[in-house]
Amino acid sequence: MKSALRAWCDSHEIPLLGIADVDAWNEPLFETWIPEAYRPGSIAPGTRSVIVIGLPVPLPSLESSPSIQYREMYRTVNTLLDQYTYRIAVRLNQSGYPSVPIPRDGYGGVEALVKNPIAFFSHRHAAYLAGLGTFGLNNMLLTPEYGPRVRFGSIFTTADIEPDPIRTDDLCTRCMECVERCPVKAVRKEGYPEGLTNKTACAKYSAILDKKAISPCGVCIKVCPIGSDRAFYGRDDIGIYREDAADSPLKKAWDHIRSHGAL
């Protein structure tokens, strides 16, 4: 079954696939661990495996963030994730394994996050338990291929599928770029899980951006140096994102994008 899932993902341009055993949520790996109500076995009793897929956000699409360009790409990736997780769940159901896709964003807009800055299920933790990456200072999941520039979706299934090993390395370099560049100082230098991001501050800032039609923020993921996508796009120097960086064709392009599409 795992080989069949991999083949299906390859045929649909889904580069990241991981499998987590549902029991992995019941074995705390650090403090503070995932509360019982937020675990797959509680949300969908009978779940045996969690399938996690990841779609990258192309680095050039978010370099002007916050901007309309990143906002639209963010929405596109989220839509694709919901469609793909739905289709995988349907295929599993047709094969006799009751399964359910979990929506990518389990909240009713950014205003709902301001009221309660947490979703009913964490795809980031699912991706971590499925061996796809490790947590960075910005509390995002870092992957070797794309750093934190990945969106994840999950499928709960009753099928017993061989799980992938959890990564034991640490991809974060503690460069402090996400800490220093956060517009609302929501990221702490201690890193996850000791230094939890101030989700309320982040949500409130996103609400301000949303009123301008340029949310989400995206700064902490665009400045992260992790990911082979940086070399692919010729963006090894993250100093290009600093406000005091010298003018360049890239900076002029970002300024052009930011000057359009916002309310």
Side-chain angles (χ1 to χ4, degrees), residues 120-143:
F120 72 85
F121 180 72
S122 171
H123 295 281
R124 289 177 300 158
H125 286 83
Y128 167 73
L129 293 172
L132 293 177
T134 65
F135 286 98
L137 292 183
N138 57 4
N139 292 195
M140 301 298 290
L141 197 80
L142 310 184
T143 65

Side-chain angles (χ1 to χ4, degrees), residues 2 32 48 53 57 78 85 94 101 119 144-145 171 180 184 190 197 201 213 236 244 249:
K2 195 171 185 179
T32 302
R48 294 305 311 145
I53 61 171
V57 177
N78 277 358
T85 54
Q94 292 173 339
E145 301 88 352
L171 296 174
E180 296 172 2
V184 292
E190 293 85 359
T197 294
D236 292 304
D244 58 356

Side-chain angles (χ1 to χ4, degrees), residues 93-111:
N93 288 333
Q94 292 173 339
S95 299
Y97 301 100
S99 306
V100 60
I102 304 301
R104 177 56 195 87
D105 288 334
Y107 51 86
V110 69
E111 292 296 339

Side-chain angles (χ1 to χ4, degrees), residues 98 148 242 245:
R242 293 188 173 276

Side-chain angles (χ1 to χ4, degrees), residues 66-199:
S67 69
I68 191 66
Q69 182 184 24
Y70 175 45
R71 178 185 178 93
E72 292 305 309
M73 180 55 64
Y74 181 93
R75 289 180 167 185
T76 296
V77 173
N78 277 358
T79 298
L80 286 170
L81 280 171
D82 284 342
Q83 291 177 350
Y84 286 146
T85 54
Y86 175 84
R87 293 179 67 181
I88 291 172
V90 168
R91 290 175 66 88
L92 288 166
N93 288 333
Q94 292 173 339
S95 299
Y97 301 100
S99 306
V100 60
I102 304 301
R104 177 56 195 87
D105 288 334
Y107 51 86
V110 69
E111 292 296 339
L113 280 183
V114 172
K115 181 179 179 181
N116 181 24
I118 188 170
F120 72 85
F121 180 72
S122 171
H123 295 281
R124 289 177 300 158
H125 286 83
Y128 167 73
L129 293 172
L132 293 177
T134 65
F135 286 98
L137 292 183
N138 57 4
N139 292 195
M140 301 298 290
L141 197 80
L142 310 184
T143 65
E145 301 88 352
Y146 311 103
R149 294 167 291 278
V150 184
R151 307 287 292 160
F152 296 105
S154 306
I155 304 101
F156 296 173
T157 180
T158 57
D160 280 307
I161 309 174
E162 180 185 359
D164 291 294
I166 298 172
R167 296 185 68 99
T168 57
D169 56 350
D170 187 356
L171 296 174
C172 183
T173 64
R174 304 302 192 273
C175 69
M176 298 297 162
E177 282 293 317
C178 60
V179 176
E180 296 172 2
R181 297 296 305 282
C182 177
V184 292
K185 305 302 179 185
V187 183
R188 294 174 53 186
K189 65 180 180 180
E190 293 85 359
Y192 189 84
E194 293 82 5
L196 294 176
T197 294
N198 187 333
K199 295 179 181 178

Side-chain angles (χ1 to χ4, degrees), residues 47-67:
T47 297
R48 294 305 311 145
S49 304
V50 177
I51 302 166
V52 184
I53 61 171
L55 295 179
V57 177
L59 178 57
S61 293
L62 70 89
E63 288 184 313
S64 60
S65 65
S67 69

Side-chain angles (χ1 to χ4, degrees), residues 64 240 246-259:
S64 60
I240 60 177
D247 284 341
S248 68
L250 281 175
K251 189 174 182 181
K252 291 178 180 178
W254 303 333
D255 288 342
H256 167 72
I257 294 167
R258 292 188 190 109
S259 67

